[in-house]
Amino acid sequence: MPVSELEFRNALSRFASGVSVVTTKDADGKFQGITVSAFSSVSLDPPLILVCIEKTTASHFAVELSKTFVVNVLNSAQTEISIRFASPVSDKFDRVDFRLGIDEIPVITGCLANLECRLAEAFDVGDHTIFIGRVENAFITDGDPLLYFRSDYRLIGDTAITPIRSRE
């Protein structure tokens, strides 16, 4: 008997993950971005990463067409950025500091890491596409990560992982 969508979501919520925002631009040059937790390294040589993006989103189509994207790994002070890019707001970049990277793609400032990528491969799987990116530039800073666990944002503290109330 197959697992239900609810059971599957509940099981996946038990996996703590870092929070990233993937940024790109569409065919009209409009900046696009989406919060993702499905991000992983693939290879050191060559440097490859993967992100999974739902097919129905504007960011999906923009990555597919532009063939460039940036993975912005959020720090513990960037919860609002994650919430903003996970929401259907018209201008997700309003009040978000960024600079332009490869192919004029927005790179969010203040992140733990920014990985500027060119699309190497794409795999159509279920309701998402797995985008493999070849990392062309990597920028890092110090700090603590923003985590997502059991449907809420979390911070690493001195003794425990502390929940943050998500704004709805």
Side-chain angles (χ1 to χ4, degrees):
M1 177 165 159
V3 65
S4 73
E5 184 176 325
L6 180 60
E7 290 170 318
F8 188 54
R9 278 184 184 272
N10 284 335
L12 293 179
S13 77
R14 276 24 181 208
F15 179 72
S17 65
V19 181
S20 303
V21 169
V22 173
T23 54
T24 189
K25 66 180 178 181
D26 63 20
D28 296 326
K30 181 180 178 192
F31 295 154
Q32 299 290 336
I34 188 169
T35 300
V36 300
S37 58
F39 157 71
S40 179
S41 63
V42 173
S43 168
L44 290 175
D45 186 20
L48 300 172
I49 55 91
L50 71 76
V51 293
C52 301
I53 301 178
E54 187 176 1
K55 292 177 191 173
T56 60
T57 65
S59 293
H60 176 277
F61 297 112
V63 168
E64 205 168 45
L65 291 172
S66 73
K67 308 224 181 304
T68 54
F69 61 94
V70 177
V71 176
N72 303 276
V73 179
L74 301 185
N75 71 44
S76 60
Q78 293 179 309
T79 306
E80 292 300 323
I81 291 174
S82 175
I83 293 168
R84 181 169 196 79
F85 281 85
S87 304
V89 292
S90 60
D91 183 3
K92 294 182 180 186
F93 292 87
D94 183 39
R95 298 185 320 265
V96 174
D97 292 331
F98 64 92
R99 64 174 177 77
L100 297 179
I102 60 169
D103 293 348
E104 306 293 302
I105 301 297
V107 179
I108 299 172
T109 58
C111 293
L112 290 179
N114 307 99
L115 302 168
E116 297 181 31
C117 303
R118 293 208 186 273
L119 186 61
E121 301 215 27
F123 300 95
D124 183 24
V125 183
D127 57 2
H128 282 61
T129 296
I130 301 169
F131 291 109
I132 308 281
R134 179 183 211 108
V135 180
E136 292 202 353
N137 297 311
F139 302 92
I140 61 169
T141 61
D142 289 329
D144 288 326
L146 179 61
L147 301 176
Y148 200 70
F149 177 70
R150 295 187 73 183
S151 303
D152 201 0
Y153 293 97
R154 307 289 175 126
L155 301 177
I156 295 176
D158 290 336
T159 58
I161 297 178
T162 308
I164 302 172
R165 292 210 180 261
S166 304
R167 295 193 187 162
E168 310 243 347

